[in-house]
Amino acid sequence: MASTPTNPDREIPDPTAPDRAPARPARTRAAAVAAAALTVGAGLGLRAVAAGDVAKYGGDALYTVLLLTLVVAAAPRLSPARAAAIALATSWAVEFLQIGPVPAALSRHSTLARLVLGSTFNAPDLAWYAVGAAAGSMVHSALLRRPRAAPAPWRAGNS
């Protein structure tokens, strides 16, 4: 009978469960922070090379991807579907807050508030947030399914 590992960081993922949480939260957290930086770079790059609807709606999708990376950084054991759902719900909540006057008022006084909260409600943004959540979830799932390299036989604890 196989024993259950006592150290969750050494747990071997079940290949039949692609939606399973990662076994190495520190590595996942670091990758999520790196992905967040790449996402910000992609958003800035998109704004630099595109205009109009492409920049606006691409930025909306990337906003949710950024939130997803931050959710994974904060809770690396969440499944991709749950992380995407949290990111999408947060994106939608921020968009619905824009119906009221507070985000617009804050946006007039702060660039950061404008970037995070936006200023005016736009219903098509809701669909583009869903696109970002779906794309981010697919990438996250694909990364979890990647086969891991076998541990080196000379490392301590590998018998």
Side-chain angles (χ1 to χ4, degrees):
M1 182 188 285
S3 65
T4 305
T6 56
N7 181 352
D9 286 346
R10 297 208 36 195
E11 189 174 317
I12 298 172
D14 178 2
T16 62
D19 211 23
R20 182 176 151 50
R24 298 198 172 152
R27 185 177 291 174
T28 300
R29 192 172 275 124
V33 169
L38 287 173
T39 303
V40 169
L44 294 172
L46 181 63
R47 286 284 185 174
V49 300
D53 288 347
V54 172
K56 168 143 182 41
Y57 296 123
D60 289 343
L62 286 171
Y63 178 82
T64 303
V65 171
L66 176 62
L67 289 177
L68 190 148
T69 64
L70 296 175
V71 167
V72 171
R77 293 187 184 272
L78 281 178
S79 71
R82 286 184 189 209
I86 291 168
L88 180 58
T90 304
S91 296
W92 283 351
V94 168
E95 189 67 29
F96 282 113
L97 279 173
Q98 294 171 4
I99 292 172
V102 174
L106 291 172
S107 293
R108 283 193 295 273
H109 300 292
S110 167
T111 301
L112 181 60
R114 186 172 55 252
L115 291 172
V116 173
L117 298 175
S119 60
T120 55
F121 178 80
N122 185 27
D125 290 353
L126 300 172
W128 288 100
Y129 295 142
V131 168
S137 179
M138 286 190 289
V139 170
H140 187 189
S141 293
L143 291 172
L144 288 180
R145 281 193 295 268
R146 275 188 12 209
R148 294 198 177 144
W154 60 85
R155 283 193 191 152
N158 291 336
S159 306

